[in-house]
Structures are given as C-alpha cells and as structure tokens.
Amino acid sequence: MTTDTVSHDPTETVVGAASGETRFLRIVVPALGVAAGVGLRWLAAWMASLPWVPWQGLARSVDALADVWGTWSLVALGALGAVAGACFAQHLVENMGRIAVTATGAGFKNKDTLETVGRTEVTDVFVEGTEIVLLRGGREVHRWPADLPTRQVAAAFTDHGWPWREGGDPFRAAYRRWDVGDETLPAGADALLRARAGLLEAGKDAHVRDVRDDLAAIGVVVRDEGTVQHWRLAADGAGAGAVGVERRA
C-alpha cells in the first residue's frame, strides 16, 4: 500500500495515511457538497410549502432567489457546496496522523500536534485499535491516535530496531474490569475513572485522554473496550520517561 508521505532516507521511515484514502476524501467529499448544494434548492422549495417547518424565512428567500436566477442559482449553490466540501476534506486530511521512525527516536504529527519520544525511553510498541501505544516497562509513555496500516507501522519500528510486540499489549493479562468503588485502586483513581466513564459515554475524546494522563500520574494504566474501562497498576520502578511534546495552535 502506498502512502502520502514516504521517506527515501534509509535512516528514517515515515508512514502516513494511504494515498487512496486521501484521494477519496478530496474527490468524494466535494462531490457530496455539490449534491447537497443543488439539493438545497429543492429542499428550500419543499420547506417553503410547509408552514409548520422551521426557518421559513430562510427557505422562502432561497426559493425566491432560485426562481429569479433559475439555472444560475443551481450553479451557484453547487459551487458553494463544492467549496465547502473541499475545505472539509482538506481538514480531514490534515488531521490524519503520520509517524516517523529512526533508530534513535520516533515522532507523531498531525495538523495541531507534534510529539516525539526517544528510543531509550521505550521497551514495548504495539497497536491497540487505531492507536499506537509505547510503553516503558509497565508504564505508558504515549498513545498516538493514528489509524495507519498496521503492517507498515510494524515494519517501520522493527526495521529500526524497536521492540515491536506483534501480539499486542504484553501486560494485557494484568488488566481488570473497573467497577465503581473498587477499593484496590490507588487513592483518587476511582473518582477519575467515574469521571472518565461519563466522558467516554459523551464522546469527549480530548477530555478522555486528559483523564488518562491524570490516572497515569498516580500509577494507573487504563484501556478501553468500547465504553468499558479496564485498569492495571503500572509496573513497580518504571519511570514515565522523557517525552518531548510541542502543541501548535
């Protein structure tokens, strides 16, 4: 599978979203925008014919303009839809993550974030769902939300001597399902897991990641199966490692 970003430097391997996926977005999403724009003319006419439908003023204005401008109104609406679709497609492409791996470090980048980690800080690397997980001992160094081809990701890490775990999380057997009020958790962890459960249900992914970091700070590692949380204690004596993080507005 080809990628949008492929390094020709043998000392670095870059894996990004498949070029077919990005082409699909850049072609199909604007086409859908055209269809939506043209369809707006008929939707406005239908809405204007039903007094009980909300936004009657806007619907009647669009319908009236369409009657005055005729075919040109369809062209204009289609063009606006195409522009909106193209902008949205570009936003999706820019937010697709990509990774770069060398023998001494690895990095993750999308539109808003650049994150790096040194090779000496990592003892295990594996894919969990759509995330690349890096561990140092039993403690998570980082999770990179990059839905990338697993085979290429594995090759990038193994080719540069990283400890890739083909079978997934080597600590998977240590996890237990979280139950409210679990007294075996460290102090404060149960409250954080309760808050995180609500965030998971609400789909607030950014806040979910923040609470994961809070749990990591008190020695609790968490993984999800849907909205069900499982947890384990970080391995004794494992440091969090030095992770360089740069966030750009």
Side-chain angles (χ1 to χ4, degrees):
M1 183 183 297
T2 59
T3 59
D4 277 341
T5 312
V6 178
S7 172
H8 298 290
D9 183 348
T11 64
E12 178 185 59
T13 302
V14 179
V15 182
S19 59
E21 295 176 7
T22 57
R23 281 198 301 270
F24 176 83
L25 289 173
R26 288 189 167 120
I27 293 172
V28 173
V29 176
L32 292 174
V34 172
V38 172
L40 181 61
R41 189 265 177 270
W42 311 114
L43 178 63
W46 175 76
M47 291 174 63
S49 68
L50 300 173
W52 52 269
V53 174
W55 301 310
Q56 279 289 302
L58 178 61
R60 288 172 181 168
S61 297
V62 172
D63 188 40
L65 286 173
D67 288 339
V68 171
W69 291 97
T71 301
W72 286 109
S73 67
L74 295 179
V75 173
L77 289 170
L80 286 173
V83 171
C87 291
F88 183 58
Q90 182 62 25
H91 170 76
L92 293 175
V93 170
E94 288 179 350
N95 278 280
M96 288 181 169
R98 65 182 184 271
I99 62 166
V101 185
T102 71
T104 58
F108 167 78
K109 183 179 181 182
N110 62 16
K111 181 181 178 182
D112 301 316
T113 305
L114 172 63
E115 300 172 346
T116 61
V117 62
R119 168 66 186 86
T120 58
E121 306 302 329
V122 176
T123 58
D124 305 276
V125 188
F126 57 93
V127 167
E128 184 173 280
T130 60
E131 296 180 311
I132 300 168
V133 184
L134 301 97
L135 304 180
R136 182 182 182 185
R139 191 179 295 270
E140 284 191 6
V141 176
H142 229 292
R143 280 179 176 257
W144 291 338
D147 190 3
L148 300 173
T150 301
R151 184 177 298 177
Q152 283 187 284
V153 172
F157 281 104
T158 55
D159 288 351
H160 293 286
W162 289 66
W164 178 260
R165 306 306 178 198
E166 189 67 35
D169 190 347
F171 294 90
R172 188 181 184 92
Y175 285 92
R176 66 191 80 175
R177 179 171 174 150
W178 170 68
D179 294 313
V180 177
D182 190 335
E183 296 181 355
T184 62
L185 282 160
D190 187 64
L192 287 171
L193 286 166
R194 291 188 197 199
R196 192 171 181 274
L199 295 170
L200 279 170
E201 292 284 354
K204 297 182 178 179
D205 294 341
H207 297 298
V208 168
R209 289 192 292 272
D210 290 341
V211 179
R212 179 191 292 277
D213 293 340
D214 293 338
L215 287 162
I218 58 175
V220 176
V221 183
V222 62
R223 61 181 298 274
D224 305 314
E225 293 183 6
T227 58
V228 178
Q229 300 180 99
H230 293 74
W231 68 274
R232 65 172 174 83
L233 296 177
D236 293 338
V243 182
V245 178
E246 173 190 347
R247 298 193 182 277
R248 301 192 296 273

